[in-house]
Amino acid sequence: MGIDQGFVFQSVKCVRPIWCTTAVLEHHLIQMTLDGTTDTIDQIAVKAGGGTFVRYVVAWRCGAGVVQQIGLPSTAGEVFAIRRAAASQGLAIETLDPREVLAEPRCSAARAVWALRDRDVDPAMRIAVLSALAEGQMSLDELCAQVPGPADPIPAIASLACAGDIRLDLSASFGPDTPVKIAA
């Protein structure tokens, strides 16, 4: 897929819309959005050889920015350009193996939660979920037991996680034992 092909990715943590050209990048952006350690997500464009622009994701964690490249740059000019751009902004560079981004069950768990991002959350359900979590972290199963029906709370919980209101630990899976806590 060429740089002109793709779509715009947007989440609550994105400083601006992120141009997304690969499925691996989309999965990475979803995982960073749901990751409680990522504060904000941005993108920089680096002019590489031949006048083309290559876009890199910048993750900000605890006030420190890290340029994240998925896989190795394809040319020496691209390597030089990203190093220069990162250094000029005081950013470190982190190379991610695409296999890490696509590792299961985390990738599928994040995708399942992200699929529910646009669900409307009833105000009473929002208050019930946030009130239950005010007592501290609990499993998804425990949280669901504390939130009154009749509606299934799972879509609301997933939507609240995508909105940045709560945190889900998706390192294992998205299931009854998934730890849930209020966002700090």
Side-chain angles (χ1 to χ4, degrees):
M1 181 179 311
I3 197 71
D4 294 331
Q5 299 172 337
F7 64 94
V8 172
F9 179 91
Q10 182 66 49
S11 78
V12 68
K13 292 186 180 180
C14 292
V15 172
R16 67 184 118 236
I18 305 290
W19 186 247
C20 187
T21 56
T22 67
V24 174
L25 178 56
E26 179 187 18
H27 287 291
H28 182 55
L29 292 167
I30 290 168
Q31 291 170 24
M32 283 197 308
T33 296
L34 297 172
D35 180 2
T37 65
T38 301
D39 301 320
T40 58
I41 304 167
D42 201 355
Q43 189 172 53
I44 59 173
V46 177
K47 188 173 183 177
T52 60
F53 284 90
V54 181
R55 293 171 173 86
Y56 290 92
V57 171
V58 179
W60 291 88
R61 296 184 179 111
C62 301
V66 178
V67 176
Q68 296 182 321
Q69 60 187 24
I70 299 173
L72 297 173
S74 56
T75 67
E78 193 177 323
V79 171
F80 176 74
I82 191 60
R83 285 182 182 163
R84 185 180 58 214
S88 72
Q89 297 182 36
L91 303 172
I93 299 174
E94 177 181 45
T95 301
L96 303 173
D97 185 327
R99 293 173 295 194
E100 292 175 36
V101 175
L102 299 174
E104 294 297 348
R106 184 174 183 239
C107 187
S108 292
R111 195 95 182 138
V113 170
W114 188 250
L116 299 169
R117 71 189 174 279
D118 293 326
R119 292 291 180 101
D120 290 330
V121 179
D122 179 75
M125 178 73 74
R126 175 185 298 274
I127 291 168
V129 168
L130 296 176
S131 295
L133 290 173
E135 298 173 16
Q137 179 175 304
M138 61 184 72
S139 72
L140 184 59
D141 196 40
E142 293 168 326
L143 178 58
C144 289
Q146 290 192 29
V147 177
D152 178 8
I154 297 292
I157 291 167
S159 184
L160 289 171
C162 293
D165 295 327
I166 63 174
R167 300 281 182 249
L168 301 171
D169 180 352
L170 299 175
S171 58
S173 66
F174 182 52
D177 296 329
T178 299
V180 185
K181 65 181 178 180
I182 200 158

mmCIF file of all heavy atoms in Angstrom, residues 22 24-25 28 32 42-44 46 54-59 61 66-86 92-101:
data_model
loop_
_atom_site.group_PDB
_atom_site.id
_atom_site.type_symbol
_atom_site.label_atom_id
_atom_site.label_comp_id
_atom_site.label_asym_id
_atom_site.label_seq_id
_atom_site.Cartn_x
_atom_site.Cartn_y
_atom_site.Cartn_z
ATOM 1 N N THR A 22 -0.962 1.119 7.101
ATOM 2 C CA THR A 22 -0.833 -0.342 7.192
ATOM 3 C C THR A 22 -1.704 -0.872 8.332
ATOM 4 O O THR A 22 -1.998 -0.155 9.296
ATOM 5 C CB THR A 22 0.620 -0.784 7.457
ATOM 6 O OG1 THR A 22 1.007 -0.363 8.766
ATOM 7 C CG2 THR A 22 1.578 -0.227 6.416
ATOM 8 N N VAL A 24 -0.716 -3.087 10.459
ATOM 9 C CA VAL A 24 0.124 -3.179 11.657
ATOM 10 C C VAL A 24 0.118 -1.842 12.398
ATOM 11 O O VAL A 24 -0.002 -1.802 13.627
ATOM 12 C CB VAL A 24 1.569 -3.608 11.303
ATOM 13 C CG1 VAL A 24 2.467 -3.569 12.528
ATOM 14 C CG2 VAL A 24 1.582 -4.994 10.695
ATOM 15 N N LEU A 25 0.223 -0.738 11.659
ATOM 16 C CA LEU A 25 0.182 0.582 12.290
ATOM 17 C C LEU A 25 -1.170 0.818 12.949
ATOM 18 O O LEU A 25 -1.245 1.327 14.066
ATOM 19 C CB LEU A 25 0.488 1.688 11.279
ATOM 20 C CG LEU A 25 0.435 3.117 11.815
ATOM 21 C CD1 LEU A 25 1.374 3.303 13.006
ATOM 22 C CD2 LEU A 25 0.753 4.107 10.703
ATOM 23 N N HIS A 28 -1.232 -1.035 16.151
ATOM 24 C CA HIS A 28 -0.364 -0.360 17.119
ATOM 25 C C HIS A 28 -1.057 0.879 17.700
ATOM 26 O O HIS A 28 -1.005 1.114 18.910
ATOM 27 C CB HIS A 28 0.959 0.005 16.457
ATOM 28 C CG HIS A 28 1.930 0.660 17.366
ATOM 29 N ND1 HIS A 28 2.335 0.098 18.566
ATOM 30 C CD2 HIS A 28 2.573 1.849 17.286
ATOM 31 C CE1 HIS A 28 3.192 0.900 19.156
ATOM 32 N NE2 HIS A 28 3.347 1.971 18.406
ATOM 33 N N MET A 32 -1.945 1.477 21.597
ATOM 34 C CA MET A 32 -1.448 2.639 22.343
ATOM 35 C C MET A 32 -2.595 3.445 22.940
ATOM 36 O O MET A 32 -2.476 3.978 24.040
ATOM 37 C CB MET A 32 -0.594 3.539 21.442
ATOM 38 C CG MET A 32 0.784 2.995 21.204
ATOM 39 S SD MET A 32 1.940 4.220 20.569
ATOM 40 C CE MET A 32 1.099 4.917 19.186
ATOM 41 N N ASP A 42 1.167 11.283 18.632
ATOM 42 C CA ASP A 42 1.327 12.278 17.577
ATOM 43 C C ASP A 42 2.019 11.611 16.396
ATOM 44 O O ASP A 42 2.348 10.425 16.450
ATOM 45 C CB ASP A 42 2.133 13.465 18.096
ATOM 46 C CG ASP A 42 1.920 14.729 17.277
ATOM 47 O OD1 ASP A 42 1.220 14.675 16.245
ATOM 48 O OD2 ASP A 42 2.464 15.772 17.651
ATOM 49 N N GLN A 43 2.251 12.374 15.347
ATOM 50 C CA GLN A 43 2.917 11.826 14.174
ATOM 51 C C GLN A 43 3.828 12.897 13.597
ATOM 52 O O GLN A 43 3.479 14.077 13.597
ATOM 53 C CB GLN A 43 1.873 11.402 13.130
ATOM 54 C CG GLN A 43 2.427 10.631 11.970
ATOM 55 C CD GLN A 43 1.325 10.075 11.090
ATOM 56 O OE1 GLN A 43 0.453 10.803 10.648
ATOM 57 N NE2 GLN A 43 1.354 8.785 10.839
ATOM 58 N N ILE A 44 4.992 12.482 13.145
ATOM 59 C CA ILE A 44 5.886 13.410 12.461
ATOM 60 C C ILE A 44 6.125 12.880 11.052
ATOM 61 O O ILE A 44 6.115 11.666 10.823
ATOM 62 C CB ILE A 44 7.234 13.596 13.194
ATOM 63 C CG1 ILE A 44 7.976 12.271 13.356
ATOM 64 C CG2 ILE A 44 7.039 14.277 14.524
ATOM 65 C CD1 ILE A 44 9.389 12.423 13.917
ATOM 66 N N VAL A 46 8.815 12.767 7.992
ATOM 67 C CA VAL A 46 10.246 12.912 7.749
ATOM 68 C C VAL A 46 10.488 12.819 6.244
ATOM 69 O O VAL A 46 10.031 11.873 5.594
ATOM 70 C CB VAL A 46 11.035 11.801 8.483
ATOM 71 C CG1 VAL A 46 12.504 11.891 8.171
ATOM 72 C CG2 VAL A 46 10.781 11.888 9.981
ATOM 73 N N VAL A 54 7.956 10.076 4.923
ATOM 74 C CA VAL A 54 7.644 8.879 5.687
ATOM 75 C C VAL A 54 7.129 9.355 7.037
ATOM 76 O O VAL A 54 7.714 10.228 7.665
ATOM 77 C CB VAL A 54 8.885 7.987 5.868
ATOM 78 C CG1 VAL A 54 8.545 6.739 6.651
ATOM 79 C CG2 VAL A 54 9.474 7.632 4.507
ATOM 80 N N ARG A 55 6.017 8.815 7.474
ATOM 81 C CA ARG A 55 5.421 9.246 8.730
ATOM 82 C C ARG A 55 5.750 8.267 9.840
ATOM 83 O O ARG A 55 5.705 7.056 9.642
ATOM 84 C CB ARG A 55 3.917 9.382 8.561
ATOM 85 C CG ARG A 55 3.537 10.512 7.632
ATOM 86 C CD ARG A 55 2.056 10.480 7.315
ATOM 87 N NE ARG A 55 1.646 11.640 6.565
ATOM 88 C CZ ARG A 55 1.715 11.729 5.237
ATOM 89 N NH1 ARG A 55 2.187 10.734 4.539
ATOM 90 N NH2 ARG A 55 1.297 12.819 4.627
ATOM 91 N N TYR A 56 6.073 8.822 11.005
ATOM 92 C CA TYR A 56 6.378 8.014 12.178
ATOM 93 C C TYR A 56 5.485 8.437 13.328
ATOM 94 O O TYR A 56 5.156 9.607 13.477
ATOM 95 C CB TYR A 56 7.846 8.198 12.602
ATOM 96 C CG TYR A 56 8.808 7.578 11.627
ATOM 97 C CD1 TYR A 56 9.336 8.324 10.581
ATOM 98 C CD2 TYR A 56 9.173 6.248 11.755
ATOM 99 C CE1 TYR A 56 10.217 7.749 9.686
ATOM 100 C CE2 TYR A 56 10.057 5.669 10.849
ATOM 101 C CZ TYR A 56 10.571 6.427 9.818
ATOM 102 O OH TYR A 56 11.430 5.858 8.931
ATOM 103 N N VAL A 57 5.138 7.480 14.151
ATOM 104 C CA VAL A 57 4.310 7.736 15.322
ATOM 105 C C VAL A 57 5.206 8.161 16.479
ATOM 106 O O VAL A 57 6.291 7.617 16.669
ATOM 107 C CB VAL A 57 3.515 6.465 15.700
ATOM 108 C CG1 VAL A 57 2.815 6.629 17.028
ATOM 109 C CG2 VAL A 57 2.524 6.121 14.605
ATOM 110 N N VAL A 58 4.742 9.133 17.240
ATOM 111 C CA VAL A 58 5.440 9.559 18.451
ATOM 112 C C VAL A 58 4.518 9.291 19.628
ATOM 113 O O VAL A 58 3.381 9.784 19.666
ATOM 114 C CB VAL A 58 5.800 11.062 18.411
ATOM 115 C CG1 VAL A 58 6.510 11.467 19.696
ATOM 116 C CG2 VAL A 58 6.662 11.374 17.199
ATOM 117 N N ALA A 59 4.975 8.495 20.565
ATOM 118 C CA ALA A 59 4.205 8.206 21.782
ATOM 119 C C ALA A 59 4.796 9.019 22.919
ATOM 120 O O ALA A 59 6.015 9.049 23.102
ATOM 121 C CB ALA A 59 4.281 6.719 22.117
ATOM 122 N N ARG A 61 4.945 9.386 26.923
ATOM 123 C CA ARG A 61 4.682 8.686 28.183
ATOM 124 C C ARG A 61 5.381 9.449 29.296
ATOM 125 O O ARG A 61 6.592 9.652 29.231
ATOM 126 C CB ARG A 61 5.211 7.260 28.126
ATOM 127 C CG ARG A 61 4.519 6.407 27.091
ATOM 128 C CD ARG A 61 5.020 4.964 27.157
ATOM 129 N NE ARG A 61 4.327 4.165 26.187
ATOM 130 C CZ ARG A 61 4.904 3.655 25.102
ATOM 131 N NH1 ARG A 61 6.181 3.845 24.868
ATOM 132 N NH2 ARG A 61 4.208 2.934 24.254
ATOM 133 N N VAL A 66 8.803 9.369 22.410
ATOM 134 C CA VAL A 66 9.564 8.309 21.757
ATOM 135 C C VAL A 66 9.019 8.143 20.340
ATOM 136 O O VAL A 66 7.824 7.936 20.153
ATOM 137 C CB VAL A 66 9.424 6.962 22.508
ATOM 138 C CG1 VAL A 66 10.174 5.861 21.783
ATOM 139 C CG2 VAL A 66 9.893 7.077 23.940
ATOM 140 N N VAL A 67 9.916 8.261 19.346
ATOM 141 C CA VAL A 67 9.522 7.985 17.968
ATOM 142 C C VAL A 67 9.475 6.471 17.827
ATOM 143 O O VAL A 67 10.444 5.780 18.147
ATOM 144 C CB VAL A 67 10.541 8.575 16.961
ATOM 145 C CG1 VAL A 67 10.161 8.174 15.539
ATOM 146 C CG2 VAL A 67 10.601 10.087 17.092
ATOM 147 N N GLN A 68 8.350 5.976 17.365
ATOM 148 C CA GLN A 68 8.211 4.530 17.216
ATOM 149 C C GLN A 68 8.145 4.175 15.740
ATOM 150 O O GLN A 68 7.285 4.672 15.016
ATOM 151 C CB GLN A 68 6.961 4.038 17.937
ATOM 152 C CG GLN A 68 7.059 4.255 19.431
ATOM 153 C CD GLN A 68 5.861 3.732 20.168
ATOM 154 O OE1 GLN A 68 4.737 3.853 19.710
ATOM 155 N NE2 GLN A 68 6.108 3.156 21.320
ATOM 156 N N GLN A 69 9.075 3.351 15.317
ATOM 157 C CA GLN A 69 9.063 2.858 13.952
ATOM 158 C C GLN A 69 8.777 1.367 14.007
ATOM 159 O O GLN A 69 9.315 0.660 14.844
ATOM 160 C CB GLN A 69 10.366 3.166 13.231
ATOM 161 C CG GLN A 69 11.599 2.557 13.862
ATOM 162 C CD GLN A 69 12.877 3.023 13.204
ATOM 163 O OE1 GLN A 69 12.925 4.072 12.603
ATOM 164 N NE2 GLN A 69 13.922 2.232 13.325
ATOM 165 N N ILE A 70 7.894 0.936 13.134
ATOM 166 C CA ILE A 70 7.552 -0.482 13.082
ATOM 167 C C ILE A 70 8.390 -1.101 11.974
ATOM 168 O O ILE A 70 8.258 -0.748 10.811
ATOM 169 C CB ILE A 70 6.047 -0.683 12.836
ATOM 170 C CG1 ILE A 70 5.261 -0.053 13.985
ATOM 171 C CG2 ILE A 70 5.722 -2.160 12.709
ATOM 172 C CD1 ILE A 70 3.777 -0.038 13.791
ATOM 173 N N GLY A 71 9.288 -1.983 12.356
ATOM 174 C CA GLY A 71 10.233 -2.555 11.412
ATOM 175 C C GLY A 71 11.377 -1.585 11.163
ATOM 176 O O GLY A 71 11.398 -0.473 11.688
ATOM 177 N N LEU A 72 12.318 -1.990 10.381
ATOM 178 C CA LEU A 72 13.488 -1.162 10.112
ATOM 179 C C LEU A 72 13.244 -0.262 8.907
ATOM 180 O O LEU A 72 12.549 -0.654 7.970
ATOM 181 C CB LEU A 72 14.702 -2.051 9.863
ATOM 182 C CG LEU A 72 15.125 -2.912 11.056
ATOM 183 C CD1 LEU A 72 16.223 -3.878 10.638
ATOM 184 C CD2 LEU A 72 15.598 -2.033 12.200
ATOM 185 N N PRO A 73 13.801 0.952 8.916
ATOM 186 C CA PRO A 73 13.668 1.832 7.754
ATOM 187 C C PRO A 73 14.214 1.138 6.512
ATOM 188 O O PRO A 73 15.151 0.338 6.588
ATOM 189 C CB PRO A 73 14.513 3.051 8.124
ATOM 190 C CG PRO A 73 14.593 3.015 9.614
ATOM 191 C CD PRO A 73 14.561 1.566 9.990
ATOM 192 N N SER A 74 13.659 1.474 5.353
ATOM 193 C CA SER A 74 14.025 0.758 4.133
ATOM 194 C C SER A 74 15.297 1.279 3.469
ATOM 195 O O SER A 74 15.914 0.578 2.693
ATOM 196 C CB SER A 74 12.857 0.796 3.145
ATOM 197 O OG SER A 74 12.494 2.140 2.888
ATOM 198 N N THR A 75 15.692 2.515 3.757
ATOM 199 C CA THR A 75 16.881 3.065 3.107
ATOM 200 C C THR A 75 17.776 3.755 4.140
ATOM 201 O O THR A 75 17.319 4.175 5.201
ATOM 202 C CB THR A 75 16.506 4.100 2.034
ATOM 203 O OG1 THR A 75 15.931 5.240 2.678
ATOM 204 C CG2 THR A 75 15.541 3.523 1.006
ATOM 205 N N ALA A 76 19.045 3.934 3.769
ATOM 206 C CA ALA A 76 19.975 4.652 4.633
ATOM 207 C C ALA A 76 19.543 6.105 4.787
ATOM 208 O O ALA A 76 19.676 6.691 5.865
ATOM 209 C CB ALA A 76 21.389 4.574 4.058
ATOM 210 N N GLY A 77 18.986 6.696 3.736
ATOM 211 C CA GLY A 77 18.495 8.071 3.806
ATOM 212 C C GLY A 77 17.362 8.215 4.803
ATOM 213 O O GLY A 77 17.267 9.210 5.529
ATOM 214 N N GLU A 78 16.524 7.201 4.847
ATOM 215 C CA GLU A 78 15.410 7.212 5.798
ATOM 216 C C GLU A 78 15.929 7.098 7.233
ATOM 217 O O GLU A 78 15.442 7.781 8.136
ATOM 218 C CB GLU A 78 14.457 6.062 5.471
ATOM 219 C CG GLU A 78 13.125 6.133 6.166
ATOM 220 C CD GLU A 78 12.201 4.997 5.739
ATOM 221 O OE1 GLU A 78 12.200 4.600 4.567
ATOM 222 O OE2 GLU A 78 11.481 4.504 6.625
ATOM 223 N N VAL A 79 16.939 6.260 7.447
ATOM 224 C CA VAL A 79 17.547 6.117 8.773
ATOM 225 C C VAL A 79 18.111 7.456 9.229
ATOM 226 O O VAL A 79 17.851 7.913 10.351
ATOM 227 C CB VAL A 79 18.666 5.039 8.769
ATOM 228 C CG1 VAL A 79 19.442 5.056 10.069
ATOM 229 C CG2 VAL A 79 18.082 3.661 8.511
ATOM 230 N N PHE A 80 18.855 8.114 8.359
ATOM 231 C CA PHE A 80 19.451 9.411 8.692
ATOM 232 C C PHE A 80 18.363 10.443 8.967
ATOM 233 O O PHE A 80 18.445 11.204 9.940
ATOM 234 C CB PHE A 80 20.361 9.881 7.547
ATOM 235 C CG PHE A 80 20.929 11.246 7.777
ATOM 236 C CD1 PHE A 80 21.952 11.444 8.701
ATOM 237 C CD2 PHE A 80 20.439 12.337 7.076
ATOM 238 C CE1 PHE A 80 22.466 12.715 8.925
ATOM 239 C CE2 PHE A 80 20.946 13.612 7.299
ATOM 240 C CZ PHE A 80 21.967 13.792 8.215
ATOM 241 N N ALA A 81 17.340 10.477 8.135
ATOM 242 C CA ALA A 81 16.274 11.477 8.278
ATOM 243 C C ALA A 81 15.531 11.312 9.599
ATOM 244 O O ALA A 81 15.243 12.305 10.285
ATOM 245 C CB ALA A 81 15.306 11.383 7.101
ATOM 246 N N ILE A 82 15.220 10.087 9.994
ATOM 247 C CA ILE A 82 14.481 9.889 11.239
ATOM 248 C C ILE A 82 15.362 10.203 12.439
ATOM 249 O O ILE A 82 14.903 10.776 13.425
ATOM 250 C CB ILE A 82 13.841 8.482 11.339
ATOM 251 C CG1 ILE A 82 12.873 8.420 12.524
ATOM 252 C CG2 ILE A 82 14.863 7.389 11.457
ATOM 253 C CD1 ILE A 82 11.736 9.380 12.475
ATOM 254 N N ARG A 83 16.648 9.857 12.366
ATOM 255 C CA ARG A 83 17.550 10.183 13.474
ATOM 256 C C ARG A 83 17.677 11.699 13.641
ATOM 257 O O ARG A 83 17.677 12.209 14.755
ATOM 258 C CB ARG A 83 18.926 9.557 13.246
ATOM 259 C CG ARG A 83 18.936 8.073 13.493
ATOM 260 C CD ARG A 83 20.317 7.503 13.303
ATOM 261 N NE ARG A 83 20.292 6.055 13.511
ATOM 262 C CZ ARG A 83 21.249 5.245 13.108
ATOM 263 N NH1 ARG A 83 22.323 5.723 12.504
ATOM 264 N NH2 ARG A 83 21.153 3.955 13.322
ATOM 265 N N ARG A 84 17.798 12.415 12.537
ATOM 266 C CA ARG A 84 17.913 13.872 12.588
ATOM 267 C C ARG A 84 16.638 14.495 13.141
ATOM 268 O O ARG A 84 16.686 15.377 13.996
ATOM 269 C CB ARG A 84 18.234 14.418 11.196
ATOM 270 C CG ARG A 84 18.492 15.924 11.182
ATOM 271 C CD ARG A 84 18.794 16.445 9.807
ATOM 272 N NE ARG A 84 17.674 16.118 8.936
ATOM 273 C CZ ARG A 84 17.778 15.819 7.655
ATOM 274 N NH1 ARG A 84 18.937 15.796 7.064
ATOM 275 N NH2 ARG A 84 16.705 15.543 6.948
ATOM 276 N N ALA A 85 15.490 14.033 12.653
ATOM 277 C CA ALA A 85 14.207 14.584 13.117
ATOM 278 C C ALA A 85 14.002 14.309 14.602
ATOM 279 O O ALA A 85 13.564 15.188 15.348
ATOM 280 C CB ALA A 85 13.057 13.999 12.304
ATOM 281 N N ALA A 86 14.314 13.107 15.046
ATOM 282 C CA ALA A 86 14.138 12.758 16.456
ATOM 283 C C ALA A 86 15.075 13.586 17.332
ATOM 284 O O ALA A 86 14.652 14.144 18.353
ATOM 285 C CB ALA A 86 14.390 11.268 16.670
ATOM 286 N N ALA A 92 13.676 10.027 21.678
ATOM 287 C CA ALA A 92 14.355 8.745 21.508
ATOM 288 C C ALA A 92 13.687 8.000 20.357
ATOM 289 O O ALA A 92 12.593 8.359 19.925
ATOM 290 C CB ALA A 92 14.250 7.933 22.791
ATOM 291 N N ILE A 93 14.349 6.971 19.849
ATOM 292 C CA ILE A 93 13.776 6.141 18.784
ATOM 293 C C ILE A 93 13.621 4.723 19.303
ATOM 294 O O ILE A 93 14.525 4.172 19.926
ATOM 295 C CB ILE A 93 14.676 6.132 17.528
ATOM 296 C CG1 ILE A 93 14.826 7.541 16.970
ATOM 297 C CG2 ILE A 93 14.098 5.191 16.469
ATOM 298 C CD1 ILE A 93 15.807 7.642 15.809
ATOM 299 N N GLU A 94 12.473 4.154 19.055
ATOM 300 C CA GLU A 94 12.180 2.775 19.466
ATOM 301 C C GLU A 94 11.733 2.006 18.222
ATOM 302 O O GLU A 94 10.819 2.441 17.531
ATOM 303 C CB GLU A 94 11.069 2.811 20.518
ATOM 304 C CG GLU A 94 10.596 1.475 21.003
ATOM 305 C CD GLU A 94 9.471 1.595 22.028
ATOM 306 O OE1 GLU A 94 8.531 2.385 21.805
ATOM 307 O OE2 GLU A 94 9.544 0.905 23.035
ATOM 308 N N THR A 95 12.397 0.910 17.938
ATOM 309 C CA THR A 95 12.011 0.080 16.799
ATOM 310 C C THR A 95 11.177 -1.087 17.307
ATOM 311 O O THR A 95 11.595 -1.812 18.210
ATOM 312 C CB THR A 95 13.251 -0.447 16.055
ATOM 313 O OG1 THR A 95 14.026 0.670 15.609
ATOM 314 C CG2 THR A 95 12.847 -1.290 14.861
ATOM 315 N N LEU A 96 10.003 -1.233 16.738
ATOM 316 C CA LEU A 96 9.091 -2.301 17.141
ATOM 317 C C LEU A 96 9.047 -3.379 16.070
ATOM 318 O O LEU A 96 8.953 -3.084 14.883
ATOM 319 C CB LEU A 96 7.677 -1.739 17.337
ATOM 320 C CG LEU A 96 7.526 -0.599 18.333
ATOM 321 C CD1 LEU A 96 6.115 -0.039 18.282
ATOM 322 C CD2 LEU A 96 7.850 -1.083 19.723
ATOM 323 N N ASP A 97 9.088 -4.602 16.505
ATOM 324 C CA ASP A 97 8.944 -5.729 15.598
ATOM 325 C C ASP A 97 7.450 -5.881 15.308
ATOM 326 O O ASP A 97 6.638 -5.947 16.238
ATOM 327 C CB ASP A 97 9.492 -6.989 16.274
ATOM 328 C CG ASP A 97 9.499 -8.202 15.359
ATOM 329 O OD1 ASP A 97 8.609 -8.321 14.494
ATOM 330 O OD2 ASP A 97 10.402 -9.035 15.529
ATOM 331 N N PRO A 98 7.054 -5.934 14.035
ATOM 332 C CA PRO A 98 5.636 -6.108 13.715
ATOM 333 C C PRO A 98 5.005 -7.318 14.409
ATOM 334 O O PRO A 98 3.825 -7.303 14.749
ATOM 335 C CB PRO A 98 5.623 -6.278 12.192
ATOM 336 C CG PRO A 98 6.880 -5.631 11.729
ATOM 337 C CD PRO A 98 7.878 -5.824 12.839
ATOM 338 N N ARG A 99 5.814 -8.355 14.659
ATOM 339 C CA ARG A 99 5.283 -9.547 15.339
ATOM 340 C C ARG A 99 4.862 -9.226 16.768
ATOM 341 O O ARG A 99 3.931 -9.829 17.289
ATOM 342 C CB ARG A 99 6.302 -10.678 15.318
ATOM 343 C CG ARG A 99 6.557 -11.212 13.898
ATOM 344 C CD ARG A 99 7.676 -12.190 13.884
ATOM 345 N NE ARG A 99 8.901 -11.471 14.248
ATOM 346 C CZ ARG A 99 10.118 -11.937 14.084
ATOM 347 N NH1 ARG A 99 10.309 -13.134 13.596
ATOM 348 N NH2 ARG A 99 11.178 -11.213 14.423
ATOM 349 N N GLU A 100 5.565 -8.273 17.414
ATOM 350 C CA GLU A 100 5.178 -7.856 18.764
ATOM 351 C C GLU A 100 3.824 -7.151 18.737
ATOM 352 O O GLU A 100 2.984 -7.358 19.609
ATOM 353 C CB GLU A 100 6.225 -6.914 19.356
ATOM 354 C CG GLU A 100 7.551 -7.553 19.666
ATOM 355 C CD GLU A 100 8.569 -6.517 20.125
ATOM 356 O OE1 GLU A 100 8.187 -5.553 20.822
ATOM 357 O OE2 GLU A 100 9.749 -6.679 19.781
ATOM 358 N N VAL A 101 3.633 -6.294 17.756
ATOM 359 C CA VAL A 101 2.373 -5.555 17.640
ATOM 360 C C VAL A 101 1.216 -6.522 17.391
ATOM 361 O O VAL A 101 0.124 -6.351 17.943
ATOM 362 C CB VAL A 101 2.452 -4.508 16.505
ATOM 363 C CG1 VAL A 101 1.112 -3.831 16.289
ATOM 364 C CG2 VAL A 101 3.540 -3.484 16.806
#
